[in-house]
Amino acid sequence: DDRVKDAGAPIKELPPPPPEPTPDEPFTFQIGTLNVLGSQHTAGPGGYGPGTSRASMLADAIVNRGVDLVGLQEMQDDQLNVLQGRLPGYGIWPGRALGNNGVRLQIAYSYAMFELVDTGSITTVFDHQTRPIPYVLLRNRATDGEFYVIDIHNSPRDQEADRDAATGAEISLVNSLRSTGKPVLLMGDTNEHTEFFCRVAASTGMVGSNGGNAANGCNPGPGPIKIDWIMGGGGVAFSGHVVDYGSPIETAPEVV
């Protein structure tokens, strides 16, 4: 005959799954900006050695310092080859996607931390040449939070009119990207100590990684004030700002 076995104690209810991350959840990472000093400067007064050797050392510095996101300026084709080979854990955009002049500005980001969602560029004049300014939309893999990153380099020396025009175009880009509701980071070599910062902060509400802001007029923040800036807006908060000239970064003396 059929017998029914005692079912025993009831199975305990499983705990609820952890909540899904939301795009508004805060996350932190290390960010930097670095002028790699293009290979054409190899014979310059500092005697910095071949551009490829410099790029190799700087790639190691990015990894060793734990930088998750970095804007790179003054890159040349031979140096890009080195960076792509020595940063296997990083995506680098635009690479060569924006043509020869587009190689000069690159955005490198940690694959482990970020996913590339979208890309774009605007055009400005740099040192008498038309050149694209790249930007990317990144997604944090842990939280799904998205933000834009813009990498810039504005004209040097007495080319004030071109610097002013480029700054205006960059302000328009920041405000356009901010209108999406996503945070925006802007970084690079502005070739101005305070003028660029004050104008951008006043026009966009961005703050500097060194604490600079335009809340009550222009406060560029504590020194040393360099020509390289990192700025952010739309829910961005900075901490631990460092002007780093430690080895081997002194081989690229325009870094901040």
Side-chain angles (χ1 to χ4, degrees), residues 2 8 29-30 41 52 138 142 154 185-186 188-189 196 204 228 243-244:
D2 294 333
F29 54 92
Q30 300 278 358
H41 293 296
T52 50
L138 296 178
N154 290 349
L185 292 166
L186 178 148
D189 182 347
F196 174 89
T204 66
D228 304 78
V243 179
D244 185 353

Side-chain angles (χ1 to χ4, degrees), residues 13-96:
E13 183 179 353
L14 294 175
E20 291 292 326
T22 68
D24 294 329
E25 184 177 338
F27 55 93
T28 62
F29 54 92
Q30 300 278 358
I31 184 173
T33 182
L34 178 62
N35 185 317
V36 302
L37 196 65
S39 292
Q40 80 271 20
H41 293 296
T42 295
Y48 303 113
T52 50
S53 297
R54 187 163 57 249
S56 178
M57 291 187 291
L58 294 174
D60 292 344
I62 290 169
V63 175
N64 293 338
R65 283 161 166 79
V67 179
D68 304 303
L69 172 64
V70 59
L72 302 163
Q73 304 91 45
E74 217 169 292
M75 186 79 68
Q76 293 194 338
D77 200 66
D78 58 345
Q79 294 171 306
L80 178 59
N81 288 336
V82 171
L83 267 292
Q84 288 173 325
R86 295 190 71 89
L87 293 176
Y90 291 75
I92 302 177
W93 198 85
R96 296 174 179 82

Side-chain angles (χ1 to χ4, degrees), residues 161-229:
D162 286 343
R163 272 198 304 277
D164 289 346
T167 300
E170 290 149 6
I171 288 170
S172 295
L173 175 60
V174 168
N175 286 330
S176 175
L177 298 179
R178 285 283 305 275
S179 71
T180 66
K182 301 181 189 299
V184 178
L185 292 166
L186 178 148
M187 65 189 81
D189 182 347
T190 72
N191 272 306
E192 292 177 339
H193 288 89
T194 60
E195 182 180 344
F196 174 89
F197 171 82
C198 291
R199 185 177 169 193
V200 173
S203 300
T204 66
M206 280 184 145
V207 298
S209 60
N210 67 338
N213 61 79
N216 296 295
C218 183
N219 170 23
I225 301 296
K226 301 294 183 179
I227 61 175
D228 304 78
W229 285 91

